[in-house]
Amino acid sequence: MFGFGSILGAVLVFAAVVLVFKAVRMVPQGYEWTVERFGKYTHTLDPGLHFLVPVVYGVGRKINMMEQVMDVPSQDVITKDNAVVKVDGVVYFQVLDAAKAAYEVAQLEIAILNLVMTNIRTAIGSMDLDESLSKRDEINTKVLVAVDQATHPWGIKVNRIELKDIQPPRDLVDSMARQMKAEREKRANILEAEGHRQSEILRAEGEKQAAILEAEGKREAAFREAEARERLAEAEAQATRMVSQAIAEGDVQAINYFVAQKYIEAFRALAEAPNQKFVMMPMESAGIIGSIAGIAELAKEALDRSPAKAVPPLPPRERA
């Protein structure tokens, strides 16, 4: 009997220890545990130390409440213009309600993954290839809104959905590269033509301004030349009038002065000609000397007509 009692006592002690471990529950930080009573959900345990009645209450699901990252595997998606692209991504989500995440949906991560992949196909399928490659942010937003609304009854908050890569087929990539090259060459030719056009416009404007300035210069030069000829004509007219007046008064030397002046001017023009090496004078030089003598006589008569200045007498010398 002693041996049987000892065994029974040991079993009872072991059962008590097990019951104690079943009653004392310590939930780690970042997790929440659901509590079930005879298999039915009753409440949720927050992080910390808790006590449960063994056998009656038990831990149902251990839910991770931290933000989680899940990769979206690559899948083939057909765009609106029937181009096949490979798309993969990543999704960030967080459980806000542990009870809903535990009991509203089975296999939570698989359900979220299927929702994300389906909505990616829907979003890209409504766009052309060029739009799907250039509007990645718009695709992310569409997928995020749709998945977040769908997972809200599960106590899930989808924070971000990002497409990691969109890969068109190789032949399509080569075609796009050729198209891009052609477009760049087209823009380069347009810019070059525009530059040439602008250069021609500027050159024409410059020639126009140069022609205007040249015309204005010629006009100013013509005006000044005409003014000089007018003044020269006035001077010659004045000299002619003076000579005519002298002739009318009977002064024959005035004629010699006028002829000599014209004679000398013609001789000077002949001597200054650039294509003349020497000058032959067929006329006799006495005519020139006589004309110069006439000029001298005119000057002498002019001096004689002017009133003579009185010269003061010298003072007489003092006798010693």
Side-chain angles (χ1 to χ4, degrees):
M1 293 294 295
F2 180 75
F4 179 76
S6 298
I7 295 173
L8 182 61
V11 170
L12 292 176
V13 170
F14 177 76
V17 172
V18 172
L19 291 175
V20 169
F21 274 102
K22 289 286 187 180
V24 178
R25 295 292 183 176
M26 185 176 64
V27 180
Q29 184 67 37
Y31 285 83
E32 289 185 1
W33 294 357
T34 61
V35 177
E36 298 175 354
R37 181 176 59 189
F38 299 115
K40 183 179 180 180
Y41 169 77
T42 57
H43 62 281
T44 303
L45 300 179
D46 296 329
L49 184 63
H50 299 273
F51 295 95
L52 297 177
V53 176
V55 181
V56 178
Y57 293 96
V59 175
R61 304 289 179 85
K62 298 178 180 180
I63 305 299
N64 186 352
M65 305 300 292
M66 296 178 288
E67 186 174 9
Q68 303 177 57
V69 182
M70 184 170 54
D71 289 329
V72 179
S74 178
Q75 60 175 333
D76 293 333
V77 180
I78 301 176
T79 61
K80 186 177 180 180
D81 52 353
N82 297 325
V84 180
V85 295
K86 289 184 176 295
V87 183
D88 59 356
V90 61
V91 56
Y92 298 83
F93 69 95
Q94 185 176 12
V95 177
L96 300 181
D97 191 331
K100 290 182 179 181
Y103 302 107
E104 294 293 336
V105 61
Q107 298 180 342
L108 177 63
E109 292 185 356
I110 296 177
I112 295 175
L113 185 61
N114 288 331
L115 274 176
V116 172
M117 295 178 67
T118 303
N119 282 277
I120 287 176
R121 288 196 298 269
T122 302
I124 296 180
S126 62
M127 295 182 177
D128 295 335
L129 178 61
D130 294 338
E131 292 180 345
S132 62
L133 294 176
S134 60
K135 298 181 179 180
R136 185 171 299 189
D137 292 338
E138 183 177 343
I139 298 173
N140 293 336
T141 303
K142 286 183 178 180
V143 176
L144 176 61
V145 172
V147 174
D148 189 43
Q149 290 179 353
T151 57
H152 181 71
W154 303 343
I156 303 299
K157 174 62 178 176
V158 180
N159 296 323
R160 291 185 304 278
I161 295 177
E162 300 289 341
L163 298 181
K164 291 194 298 184
D165 195 11
I166 301 177
Q167 295 180 352
R170 186 61 189 176
D171 55 346
L172 191 57
V173 173
D174 296 338
S175 176
M176 292 172 61
R178 291 193 299 269
Q179 181 182 0
M180 185 181 301
K181 182 179 179 181
E183 185 67 24
R184 289 179 178 176
E185 290 179 354
K186 175 184 175 182
R187 283 184 292 179
N189 293 332
I190 292 175
L191 291 177
E192 184 178 359
E194 185 67 23
H196 182 69
R197 172 176 172 272
Q198 190 68 21
S199 175
E200 291 295 328
I201 291 174
L202 293 177
R203 186 180 61 81
E205 287 290 336
E207 292 179 354
K208 176 182 176 182
Q209 293 295 329
I212 292 174
L213 293 176
E214 184 179 359
E216 291 180 354
K218 289 182 178 180
R219 185 181 66 177
E220 183 68 20
F223 176 76
R224 293 184 180 275
E225 184 179 357
E227 185 178 3
R229 287 197 302 267
E230 181 180 358
R231 292 183 179 180
L232 180 61
E234 291 178 356
E236 291 180 354
Q238 182 67 22
T240 304
R241 283 195 300 269
M242 294 177 64
V243 171
S244 299
Q245 184 178 0
I247 294 173
E249 293 177 356
D251 192 353
V252 182
Q253 297 296 334
I255 298 176
N256 294 332
Y257 169 77
F258 187 74
V259 173
Q261 182 182 6
K262 296 298 181 181
Y263 188 84
I264 293 173
E265 289 179 356
F267 183 74
R268 182 181 63 185
L270 182 63
E272 290 178 353
N275 57 351
Q276 296 294 334
K277 300 298 182 179
F278 59 92
V279 178
M280 298 183 64
M281 299 178 60
M283 73 292 293
E284 57 184 28
S285 59
I288 302 176
I289 297 174
S291 300
I292 296 174
I295 297 174
E297 289 295 334
L298 286 176
K300 181 178 179 181
E301 290 181 3
L303 291 176
D304 291 340
R305 291 176 184 178
S306 62
K309 296 183 179 179
V311 178
L314 293 175
R317 296 182 177 179
E318 294 181 1
R319 296 180 179 178

